[in-house]
Amino acid sequence: MEIWINPDCSKCRSALSVLDAESADYTVRRYLDDPPGEQELRDVLARLGLEPWDITRTGEPVAGELGLSGWPRTPESRERWIGALAAHPVLIQRPIITADDGQAVVGRSEDAVRSLLPRR
């Protein structure tokens, strides 16, 4: 399992606490230092079952600079969004957790994080 985090993010720290409490085996990826490329984003979006605008932090200053609020959310604009996320990883919602079995979640709640853990 891999978790994309920003160490300054409280939701990321909470997700890590849940994983640690459950003795989960995971790798931390500081995605601001090691950003995903466009193809990796496409792959993760497919695993999440989401579109790029669904995982975009539209409140970030760079989102305003890019004018993201005015970008269409259509299949034709999908690649533009993915390009923006790859170029500006601060726009990527966090934490994103990818499991070895192909599942993935945006782990902003304890329930979401636990959904990837093996049932005991």
Side-chain angles (χ1 to χ4, degrees), residues 21-35:
E22 296 296 328
S23 300
D25 184 23
Y26 65 92
T27 301
V28 170
R29 178 172 181 180
R30 293 180 180 213
Y31 72 95
L32 296 177
D33 299 327
D34 180 16

Side-chain angles (χ1 to χ4, degrees), residues 4 39-49 55 96 98 104:
W4 296 2
Q39 187 56 52
E40 188 174 10
L41 286 166
R42 284 185 206 95
D43 294 344
V44 167
L45 287 164
R47 291 171 73 174
L48 289 167
I55 65 162
I96 292 178
T98 55

Side-chain angles (χ1 to χ4, degrees), residues 103-114:
Q103 295 182 77
V105 297
V106 178
R108 296 194 56 78
S109 71
E110 184 174 328
D111 287 342
V113 175
R114 289 185 183 286

Side-chain angles (χ1 to χ4, degrees), residues 86-100:
H88 307 281
V90 71
L91 294 173
I92 300 170
Q93 189 56 267
R94 58 190 183 245
I96 292 178
I97 307 169
T98 55
D100 295 338

